[in-house]
Every structure is written in C-alpha cells, then in structure tokens.
Amino acid sequence: MDPEPASTEEPPAKRGIGLFGLIALVVSASIGSGVFALSTDISAAAAPGPALIAWAISGIGFMALATSFGKLSILRPDLNGIVAYAKEGFGPFTGFVSGWGYWLSIWIGNVAFGVMLATAIGYFFPPFADGLTVGAVAFISLLNWIIVAVVNRGVEEASVLNAIVMTCKLVPIFVFIATMLLVFDFGVFTADFWGTVADNLGGEGAPGSAGTQIVNCYMVMMWVFVGMEGASVLGHRARDKRDVSRATILGCTALLVIYVAASVLPYGYLTREELMAVGTPSMPYIFQRVVGPWGGAFISGGLVISIFGAWLSYTILASEAMNRMARMELLPRSFGKLNVHNAPTICLIVTGCMIQLLSIVMLFSEAAYQFAYSLCTASIVISWALASAYMVKLAKHRDVEHAGPALALSAFATAFLVVAILLAGVDLLMLCCIAYVPGLAFYVKARRDYGHATIMAGREKLLAAFIVVVAVIAVALLATGYITI
C-alpha cells in the first residue's frame, strides 16, 4: 500500500469541541425544520393514542441507538463515527455503503431545510408563500454557498456559532410548549383518542387502524432524529472522547422530550382535523391562534434561525463524513485534504454542488419538502442500522462490559430501524440505490489509489450488483410512474 502523502495528514486540532459544543451539534443538527411541522405531519398520520404509542416505540428505539453510539465511542475510541463502525465490523465496502448513505442523507436533508426555509420566509414575504419557486431556489442557492464559505473557514469556529444558534432557536420552541400546556384541554385531547370516529366517518382524513396510524408516524419521527449521531461523527475533534457518549445520550434525551411535547400537546387545543388544516409549518399558525398575529411572526423567526443552525450543522457533518471516508481509504485521496483552516474544502464544494443540483430538481416535485426529508431519512437509516449492528456483534462476542443489556439494546435499535424503514419507505430505499451507483466508481478509484490488490471480495461484489440492479428497477419504476417524487 502506498504511504499517505503529507498533504493529507490531519493537522492538530486548534482547540477541539467541548461537551456543550457537542450537545449543541446533536440538538441543533436534529432540531431543524421538522419540529416546527410536527403537529401537522403527525396529525395527518395518526390520532393522539396511536401517536403516543409510536413515540413510545420510537423513543425506546432512539434511546437504544444513542446508548449504542455512546458505548461504541467508549469501547472503540480509536474509531471516529458511524462509518468507521460499519467498516470495522463488516469490511471496507460495507463501510463505504454506510458512509455514502450518510453523506447522501445529510446533503439531501439540507435541501429539505432550504425548502422549509423558503416556506417560513413566505410568512413575511408573500412571493415565497406559494411553494418552491425559481426565486426561492435562487435564495436557497445563495445561502447554500454562504454556509459552505463559513464552514470552509474552520469547523471548530463554525461549531461555536452553532452553539449560539442552538440557544436562540430553542427559546420559541419552549415558549410554544409552555403555552400549549396552559391551553391544554383534556376533553379535546380525548375526544377522538384512537381515531375511531374519523375512521368510521371515512373520507380522505380517515386515519385507518391503530397499527396503520403507528406505521404512518415512523418516517416523520425518524426524520426529526437525523443528526443525533453528530457528536459521534465529530468525535475526533472532541476535547475529551468521553464527552461523545455524554453528548449523544443527553442530546437524544432532550430531543425526545421536546418532540413529544411539541407534537402531542396541540391535540389538547385543536382537534385532529383542525391540526391537519392549519398549514405547514404548523407551529407558527397554532401559536398565532392562541396569542394573536405576533405569535406567528415570533415562531417563524425562530424557525428561520433553527433552519440556519441545522443547515450549518449538516454542512459540517456532510463534509466531515466525506473527509473521514477518504482517510479510511473509502474515497479517493483528494477528499482527504484539509485547508489551512483545518476544513475539507473539496468535500464542501462537492456537497454544495449536490445541494444546488437537487434544489433545482425539487422545482418539479409536487411535495418537495416531504420527499426530501423522506429520502434523507431512508438514506441515514442504512448507516444507523449498520453502526448498531456492529454493537450487536461486539456484545454477542462478549467484548463489552455488561454484554447482556448491551446486546438487548443494540439488537432492539437495529430491529427497530430495519422494520420501521421497510414498513414506511421501501420505494425510498430503492431511490437511494440510484444515488449509490456513481459512488461505486469513487470507491473503485479509492481502492486503486491506495494500492489495494482486491477491489471487492466475493460477497461485496454481490452487494454491489444488488445495488445496481435495484437502481435499474427504480429508474424503470420512475419512468412508468409507479414511483413518483
């Protein structure tokens, strides 16, 4: 194998990211636009009872996943992030599958943020209120490259800005939750607790059986947790590696409390049918109904700040993911280079270009925001599941203290992710395979760049062939209209 050239060696970190900065990354990366639209998205999927059950299952699943990430960061401090876990546990090509899926999910998520940001600005600027327009795409494009430039000045500096943004954007969310507690009416909340009344009436708003309602919640609930792995991805930049575990578990706990409160409490103020009709994002319109016109502006302003913070976090995570993949010899050498500010310029430019391209494509989508966040979620579930499966492998071989509980938690997290995505988004997984095809060429080049005699082993060739076949099928289904965007 060729020695790593000096130009790609990682310079020593200037200061490193502390515990609060890592928690801010977890919370800010996850709390983007999703929490502001949760009331509408969840009410469209389920009545209060099934929604609470779905949150209970999802909460246990994501706390199990966060605990697994935390344990992995302590057990294997030499490994940085969920991609490294997949590579160590299942080989280089599986590591590539995890890393490419993670990178896809992050920049696709940024496109979802851009669409929602344009919608939020539409509250103040009417030309943006009519969905994704050419003007809105131009605005998204400008902001995309500004954020790329900010991160290119240094990841540690950007994380400090991110911590400030997190503090600012949590204020309107907490004010909303406190207000919902004050106006909560238990009678309204329990009026159609299981959705049976609406279901008996039939029509477009009928939620279906309790099981169907629970399944319908999963994609939305998984979307709002995208980013919870942020501390793990940036673990190599932490001042103290132990902070990675603390930040992941504390951040995920805070997220779960916020999400349940923000999505369930409005059921005690408006009926499910009224929540479905308030508009998207729902939080500004609900708050406006409670306190008056200033409330909508207050929450919309918080949404704008929130999306900026999440977009900043996602840009950091996407560029770091590509850079670490190159250092793990899963992408060509050029992606492993850092500039004088310790930032991966080439990775940032490529990520910015992909955001730009998909933003333009979204002009032709009937439900741009929902499609973007669903595709983002489907991509990242692959990476989450492979990381938790590595924890299963370690616990199964008794390489972990308290192996029994660790095995149970990681096994539940893996099963939850696999079952949830199969129930909620098989077509989206197929679309992800299309985006994997060009990545295969990068992987092959990386293996040659680093002098590996074997490009892919036998099982890896079968997995690559499966991805290509599914991608071809997905293209055919898109062409015939069986899958739509």
Side-chain angles (χ1 to χ4, degrees):
M1 184 186 300
D2 295 334
E4 180 114 304
S7 60
T8 62
E9 291 182 359
E10 184 173 350
K14 296 177 182 178
R15 292 184 297 277
I17 304 174
L19 177 60
F20 183 72
L22 291 170
I23 293 174
L25 187 65
V26 172
V27 175
S28 190
S30 299
I31 295 183
S33 59
V35 66
F36 292 89
L38 264 180
S39 295
T40 298
D41 290 341
I42 295 296
S43 63
L52 284 171
I53 294 175
W55 272 125
I57 297 171
S58 298
I60 295 170
F62 278 105
M63 288 308 300
L65 184 63
T67 303
S68 298
F69 286 165
K71 284 184 175 294
L72 284 171
S73 69
I74 295 171
L75 288 168
R76 295 300 307 267
D78 56 314
L79 300 178
N80 292 304
I82 58 179
V83 179
Y85 301 147
K87 181 190 177 189
E88 182 70 15
F90 308 104
F93 186 67
T94 303
F96 162 77
V97 169
S98 172
W100 194 258
Y102 183 73
W103 176 70
L104 285 175
S105 72
I106 296 303
W107 66 258
I108 293 171
N110 271 351
V111 176
F113 291 146
V115 175
M116 181 57 77
L117 180 61
T119 303
I121 292 175
Y123 188 92
F124 307 100
F125 185 60
F128 280 10
D130 298 327
L132 195 63
T133 62
V134 174
V137 169
F139 172 77
I140 292 170
S141 303
L142 176 62
L143 186 56
N144 171 42
W145 291 110
I146 289 174
I147 292 177
V148 166
V150 169
V151 178
N152 197 48
R153 294 291 298 175
V155 173
E156 280 87 357
E157 286 77 1
S159 71
V160 173
L161 175 60
N162 191 49
I164 296 171
V165 170
M166 181 199 73
T167 303
C168 295
K169 75 181 183 180
L170 285 178
V171 171
I173 296 174
F174 286 147
V175 170
F176 175 81
I177 291 173
T179 304
M180 288 297 100
L181 281 169
L182 291 174
V183 299
F184 186 85
D185 185 329
F186 196 72
V188 175
F189 184 70
T190 58
D192 190 15
F193 192 70
W194 296 106
T196 52
V197 174
D199 202 39
N200 290 335
L201 292 174
E204 188 176 343
S209 67
T212 299
Q213 294 178 63
I214 292 169
V215 170
N216 290 342
C217 291
Y218 284 146
M219 189 61 75
V220 178
M221 292 179 178
M222 288 191 291
W223 154 241
V224 293
F225 278 99
V226 174
M228 53 83 68
E229 72 295 325
S232 178
V233 174
L234 286 183
H236 61 289
R237 294 184 183 269
R239 291 176 193 166
D240 186 343
K241 286 287 288 187
R242 291 172 296 181
D243 286 343
V244 175
S245 175
R246 297 167 186 157
T248 302
I249 295 172
L250 289 173
C252 193
T253 302
L255 289 171
L256 183 59
V257 172
I258 292 169
Y259 291 153
V260 173
S263 63
V264 173
L265 288 176
Y267 280 111
Y269 175 66
L270 298 174
T271 66
R272 176 175 174 268
E273 290 72 20
E274 289 172 328
L275 287 172
M276 292 171 61
V278 296
T280 300
S282 53
M283 190 180 288
Y285 296 102
I286 295 172
F287 196 61
Q288 178 177 292
R289 291 183 65 160
V290 178
V291 302
W294 71 268
F298 174 68
I299 299 293
S300 293
L303 174 56
V304 171
I305 295 173
S306 178
I307 291 176
F308 174 77
W311 197 330
L312 179 64
S313 297
Y314 273 39
T315 302
I316 294 172
L317 294 176
S319 61
E320 284 291 307
M322 292 193 83
N323 182 258
R324 300 310 299 180
M325 285 178 71
R327 294 177 184 281
M328 287 186 281
E329 303 181 1
L330 303 177
L331 285 179
R333 291 181 185 276
S334 57
F335 291 102
K337 296 179 180 179
L338 299 175
N339 64 18
V340 295
H341 301 291
N342 206 24
T345 301
I346 294 176
C347 301
L348 282 165
I349 292 174
V350 172
T351 300
C353 288
M354 296 309 298
I355 293 170
Q356 179 71 76
L357 179 62
L358 187 59
S359 298
I360 296 172
V361 172
M362 285 297 96
L363 280 170
F364 305 98
S365 175
E366 294 182 1
Y369 175 68
Q370 287 78 7
F371 174 74
Y373 81 60
S374 297
L375 193 60
C376 163
T377 304
S379 299
I380 204 168
V381 166
I382 297 169
S383 303
W384 284 342
L386 288 171
S388 59
Y390 177 52
M391 186 67 212
V392 171
K393 183 177 181 180
L394 291 179
K396 189 176 180 181
H397 289 87
R398 301 289 174 178
D399 295 332
V400 184
E401 187 178 358
H402 306 300
L407 177 60
L409 281 173
S410 54
F412 180 83
T414 306
F416 162 72
L417 293 169
V418 172
V419 172
I421 196 62
L422 289 178
L423 289 174
V426 172
D427 57 334
L428 295 164
L429 287 174
M430 295 178 69
L431 291 176
C432 290
C433 288
I434 299 174
Y436 267 97
V437 172
L440 296 176
F442 284 108
Y443 178 75
V444 171
K445 185 178 188 306
R447 299 291 286 177
R448 290 173 177 166
D449 276 358
Y450 291 100
H452 294 284
T454 303
I455 303 299
M456 292 183 191
R459 291 181 179 179
E460 293 176 335
K461 290 179 181 177
L462 289 176
L463 178 56
F466 175 77
I467 290 171
V468 173
V469 169
V470 173
V472 171
I473 294 172
V475 170
L477 293 177
L478 272 173
T480 55
Y482 283 99
I483 295 179
T484 60
I485 62 172

PDB file of all heavy atoms in Angstrom, residues 189-202:
ATOM      1  N   PHE A 189     -58.442  16.607  23.915  1.00  0.00           N
ATOM      2  CA  PHE A 189     -57.394  15.610  23.689  1.00  0.00           C
ATOM      3  C   PHE A 189     -57.966  14.200  23.552  1.00  0.00           C
ATOM      4  O   PHE A 189     -57.506  13.401  22.736  1.00  0.00           O
ATOM      5  CB  PHE A 189     -56.394  15.662  24.852  1.00  0.00           C
ATOM      6  CG  PHE A 189     -55.211  14.755  24.698  1.00  0.00           C
ATOM      7  CD1 PHE A 189     -54.224  15.004  23.761  1.00  0.00           C
ATOM      8  CD2 PHE A 189     -55.084  13.638  25.520  1.00  0.00           C
ATOM      9  CE1 PHE A 189     -53.129  14.162  23.633  1.00  0.00           C
ATOM     10  CE2 PHE A 189     -53.982  12.787  25.404  1.00  0.00           C
ATOM     11  CZ  PHE A 189     -53.006  13.062  24.445  1.00  0.00           C
ATOM     12  N   THR A 190     -58.974  13.880  24.340  1.00  0.00           N
ATOM     13  CA  THR A 190     -59.523  12.514  24.357  1.00  0.00           C
ATOM     14  C   THR A 190     -60.775  12.342  23.498  1.00  0.00           C
ATOM     15  O   THR A 190     -61.319  11.237  23.424  1.00  0.00           O
ATOM     16  CB  THR A 190     -59.862  12.103  25.801  1.00  0.00           C
ATOM     17  OG1 THR A 190     -60.799  13.051  26.357  1.00  0.00           O
ATOM     18  CG2 THR A 190     -58.602  12.071  26.664  1.00  0.00           C
ATOM     19  N   ALA A 191     -61.217  13.399  22.826  1.00  0.00           N
ATOM     20  CA  ALA A 191     -62.476  13.336  22.070  1.00  0.00           C
ATOM     21  C   ALA A 191     -62.465  12.234  21.011  1.00  0.00           C
ATOM     22  O   ALA A 191     -63.459  11.522  20.822  1.00  0.00           O
ATOM     23  CB  ALA A 191     -62.766  14.687  21.433  1.00  0.00           C
ATOM     24  N   ASP A 192     -61.385  12.078  20.314  1.00  0.00           N
ATOM     25  CA  ASP A 192     -61.240  11.003  19.320  1.00  0.00           C
ATOM     26  C   ASP A 192     -59.839  10.422  19.471  1.00  0.00           C
ATOM     27  O   ASP A 192     -59.007  10.486  18.578  1.00  0.00           O
ATOM     28  CB  ASP A 192     -61.457  11.545  17.910  1.00  0.00           C
ATOM     29  CG  ASP A 192     -61.559  10.431  16.869  1.00  0.00           C
ATOM     30  OD1 ASP A 192     -61.747   9.273  17.265  1.00  0.00           O
ATOM     31  OD2 ASP A 192     -61.425  10.735  15.668  1.00  0.00           O
ATOM     32  N   PHE A 193     -59.582   9.847  20.647  1.00  0.00           N
ATOM     33  CA  PHE A 193     -58.235   9.459  21.064  1.00  0.00           C
ATOM     34  C   PHE A 193     -57.601   8.439  20.129  1.00  0.00           C
ATOM     35  O   PHE A 193     -56.406   8.480  19.862  1.00  0.00           O
ATOM     36  CB  PHE A 193     -58.286   8.912  22.496  1.00  0.00           C
ATOM     37  CG  PHE A 193     -56.938   8.745  23.131  1.00  0.00           C
ATOM     38  CD1 PHE A 193     -56.177   9.853  23.500  1.00  0.00           C
ATOM     39  CD2 PHE A 193     -56.419   7.480  23.364  1.00  0.00           C
ATOM     40  CE1 PHE A 193     -54.929   9.700  24.083  1.00  0.00           C
ATOM     41  CE2 PHE A 193     -55.172   7.316  23.960  1.00  0.00           C
ATOM     42  CZ  PHE A 193     -54.423   8.435  24.310  1.00  0.00           C
ATOM     43  N   TRP A 194     -58.396   7.500  19.612  1.00  0.00           N
ATOM     44  CA  TRP A 194     -57.849   6.438  18.764  1.00  0.00           C
ATOM     45  C   TRP A 194     -58.157   6.630  17.280  1.00  0.00           C
ATOM     46  O   TRP A 194     -57.795   5.791  16.464  1.00  0.00           O
ATOM     47  CB  TRP A 194     -58.382   5.078  19.220  1.00  0.00           C
ATOM     48  CG  TRP A 194     -57.941   4.733  20.603  1.00  0.00           C
ATOM     49  CD1 TRP A 194     -58.686   4.748  21.732  1.00  0.00           C
ATOM     50  CD2 TRP A 194     -56.619   4.354  21.013  1.00  0.00           C
ATOM     51  NE1 TRP A 194     -57.932   4.395  22.823  1.00  0.00           N
ATOM     52  CE2 TRP A 194     -56.657   4.144  22.418  1.00  0.00           C
ATOM     53  CE3 TRP A 194     -55.416   4.165  20.333  1.00  0.00           C
ATOM     54  CZ2 TRP A 194     -55.533   3.763  23.145  1.00  0.00           C
ATOM     55  CZ3 TRP A 194     -54.287   3.783  21.053  1.00  0.00           C
ATOM     56  CH2 TRP A 194     -54.352   3.590  22.450  1.00  0.00           C
ATOM     57  N   GLY A 195     -58.837   7.729  16.937  1.00  0.00           N
ATOM     58  CA  GLY A 195     -59.148   7.965  15.532  1.00  0.00           C
ATOM     59  C   GLY A 195     -60.313   7.146  15.032  1.00  0.00           C
ATOM     60  O   GLY A 195     -60.563   7.083  13.826  1.00  0.00           O
ATOM     61  N   THR A 196     -61.038   6.511  15.929  1.00  0.00           N
ATOM     62  CA  THR A 196     -62.136   5.636  15.508  1.00  0.00           C
ATOM     63  C   THR A 196     -63.307   6.421  14.940  1.00  0.00           C
ATOM     64  O   THR A 196     -63.985   5.962  14.025  1.00  0.00           O
ATOM     65  CB  THR A 196     -62.625   4.784  16.699  1.00  0.00           C
ATOM     66  OG1 THR A 196     -62.912   5.660  17.804  1.00  0.00           O
ATOM     67  CG2 THR A 196     -61.565   3.789  17.119  1.00  0.00           C
ATOM     68  N   VAL A 197     -63.555   7.617  15.490  1.00  0.00           N
ATOM     69  CA  VAL A 197     -64.667   8.427  14.994  1.00  0.00           C
ATOM     70  C   VAL A 197     -64.411   8.838  13.556  1.00  0.00           C
ATOM     71  O   VAL A 197     -65.258   8.654  12.659  1.00  0.00           O
ATOM     72  CB  VAL A 197     -64.874   9.677  15.879  1.00  0.00           C
ATOM     73  CG1 VAL A 197     -65.942  10.582  15.260  1.00  0.00           C
ATOM     74  CG2 VAL A 197     -65.260   9.275  17.291  1.00  0.00           C
ATOM     75  N   ALA A 198     -63.221   9.397  13.297  1.00  0.00           N
ATOM     76  CA  ALA A 198     -62.877   9.823  11.939  1.00  0.00           C
ATOM     77  C   ALA A 198     -62.843   8.632  10.999  1.00  0.00           C
ATOM     78  O   ALA A 198     -63.253   8.716   9.834  1.00  0.00           O
ATOM     79  CB  ALA A 198     -61.528  10.537  11.947  1.00  0.00           C
ATOM     80  N   ASP A 199     -62.371   7.483  11.496  1.00  0.00           N
ATOM     81  CA  ASP A 199     -62.276   6.301  10.647  1.00  0.00           C
ATOM     82  C   ASP A 199     -63.658   5.785  10.261  1.00  0.00           C
ATOM     83  O   ASP A 199     -63.887   5.360   9.127  1.00  0.00           O
ATOM     84  CB  ASP A 199     -61.484   5.218  11.389  1.00  0.00           C
ATOM     85  CG  ASP A 199     -60.884   4.200  10.436  1.00  0.00           C
ATOM     86  OD1 ASP A 199     -60.421   4.621   9.366  1.00  0.00           O
ATOM     87  OD2 ASP A 199     -60.884   3.005  10.756  1.00  0.00           O
ATOM     88  N   ASN A 200     -64.593   5.845  11.198  1.00  0.00           N
ATOM     89  CA  ASN A 200     -65.962   5.393  10.904  1.00  0.00           C
ATOM     90  C   ASN A 200     -66.658   6.302   9.899  1.00  0.00           C
ATOM     91  O   ASN A 200     -67.467   5.853   9.097  1.00  0.00           O
ATOM     92  CB  ASN A 200     -66.777   5.325  12.195  1.00  0.00           C
ATOM     93  CG  ASN A 200     -66.331   4.187  13.103  1.00  0.00           C
ATOM     94  OD1 ASN A 200     -65.768   3.215  12.624  1.00  0.00           O
ATOM     95  ND2 ASN A 200     -66.578   4.328  14.407  1.00  0.00           N
ATOM     96  N   LEU A 201     -66.301   7.590   9.957  1.00  0.00           N
ATOM     97  CA  LEU A 201     -66.892   8.535   9.004  1.00  0.00           C
ATOM     98  C   LEU A 201     -66.326   8.365   7.611  1.00  0.00           C
ATOM     99  O   LEU A 201     -66.941   8.747   6.616  1.00  0.00           O
ATOM    100  CB  LEU A 201     -66.663   9.975   9.488  1.00  0.00           C
ATOM    101  CG  LEU A 201     -67.415  10.379  10.763  1.00  0.00           C
ATOM    102  CD1 LEU A 201     -66.991  11.771  11.195  1.00  0.00           C
ATOM    103  CD2 LEU A 201     -68.931  10.322  10.538  1.00  0.00           C
ATOM    104  N   GLY A 202     -65.110   7.786   7.524  1.00  0.00           N
ATOM    105  CA  GLY A 202     -64.472   7.584   6.228  1.00  0.00           C
ATOM    106  C   GLY A 202     -63.957   8.878   5.653  1.00  0.00           C
ATOM    107  O   GLY A 202     -63.814   9.883   6.337  1.00  0.00           O
TER     108      GLY A 202
END
